[in-house]
Amino acid sequence: MYFAALLARTEDGWEASDTELDDVETLSDLTDLAQEASVDEDTVLVYIEQEDAWFGILRVDGEEDPRIYVSDASAAARSSYGEILLTDELLGREPGAEDEIAALEELVDLDGTEDGEPDGSASSSATTTDRTTTRDADTDSDPGPGPDSHSDPDPESGSGSDYVPAGPIGELGILADFGVSEKDLLTLRTDALTEIADALGASEVLEAVR
């Protein structure tokens, strides 16, 4: 179950509203949503939570670049909303790395033959059959490589272009000027929004939209 809320700071305090994310597909979409709610280019916080799993905060201050914090990157990576916050920059990836890999995979067939390249199957079908028979016979005595020989990179090694670390990621001081220190932010787990709203003095306006 997901919950999303938007908190916009004004001269009189904070204004809260629940937020529909159905039309949000990218970080730019989410940033635009926050900027539209801004009053005189003041701070806007977008809070997204998946119950008992992870929460994320997007902070927008006027036209400045958005600031992001996610409580558990690996959990958020399994969510379509979490993926919006987990940008290449936040994860330390080269921008567009995944797109480049996908494009390369399309150029090469599963058998390692590039598109349009003849594989010579017609001229060597008899040889292939003989080799297959021999290989099948050898298989009975040779178990071959184990099931882990082509396994995914070890998550703890940090290798692999799609590696996402477990635990918090992003700007720990995202709410420091509002009374939520880095240490306090790291201790927040379930129902983090309630504690954040208490620190902001926005509990009453938030309760009205929950």
Side-chain angles (χ1 to χ4, degrees):
M1 178 177 178
Y2 291 93
F3 174 75
L6 188 149
L7 292 167
R9 189 169 66 168
T10 71
E11 291 183 355
D12 300 322
W14 292 87
E15 294 180 352
S17 60
D18 56 349
T19 305
E20 292 294 335
L21 301 178
D22 293 344
D23 297 327
V24 174
E25 297 181 354
T26 66
L27 181 62
S28 295
D29 293 338
L30 192 60
T31 301
D32 290 343
L33 185 69
Q35 290 175 335
E36 290 171 4
S38 176
V39 178
D40 297 328
E41 296 190 348
D42 210 334
T43 302
V44 175
L45 303 174
V46 180
Y47 177 91
I48 304 174
E49 173 185 272
Q50 182 179 5
E51 189 175 8
D52 298 330
W54 65 274
F55 71 88
I57 301 168
L58 173 78
R59 173 173 175 170
V60 176
D61 296 285
E63 296 298 323
E64 296 181 12
D65 290 338
R67 300 159 65 185
I68 301 170
Y69 172 79
V70 177
S71 65
D72 189 330
S74 60
R78 296 189 288 270
S79 158
S80 57
Y81 295 139
E83 288 181 338
I84 293 174
L85 298 175
L86 297 175
T87 62
D88 287 335
E89 181 180 0
L90 195 68
L91 295 171
R93 296 173 178 164
E94 285 291 331
E98 290 187 351
D99 293 339
E100 291 180 7
I101 293 173
L104 288 172
E105 289 177 344
E106 290 181 1
L107 292 174
V108 180
D109 294 333
L110 292 177
D111 62 357
T113 304
E114 293 188 3
D115 290 343
E117 180 182 328
D119 59 8
S121 59
S123 61
S124 60
S125 59
T127 303
T128 302
T129 302
D130 292 340
R131 289 177 180 173
T132 301
T133 303
T134 303
R135 198 162 49 236
D136 289 344
D138 292 342
T139 302
D140 294 337
S141 58
D142 184 2
D148 295 332
S149 60
H150 299 290
S151 60
D152 292 332
D154 182 357
E156 306 212 348
S157 69
S159 60
S161 62
D162 57 351
Y163 169 72
V164 178
I169 193 171
E171 188 172 339
L172 295 177
I174 191 170
L175 300 176
D177 54 336
F178 295 133
V180 182
S181 68
E182 295 182 8
K183 181 179 179 181
D184 291 338
L185 191 61
L186 287 171
T187 61
L188 298 179
R189 291 294 182 266
T190 58
D191 204 19
L193 182 57
T194 298
E195 297 187 44
I196 292 173
D198 285 341
L200 299 178
S203 297
E204 291 186 7
V205 293
L206 178 63
E207 191 62 32
V209 300
R210 293 199 79 172

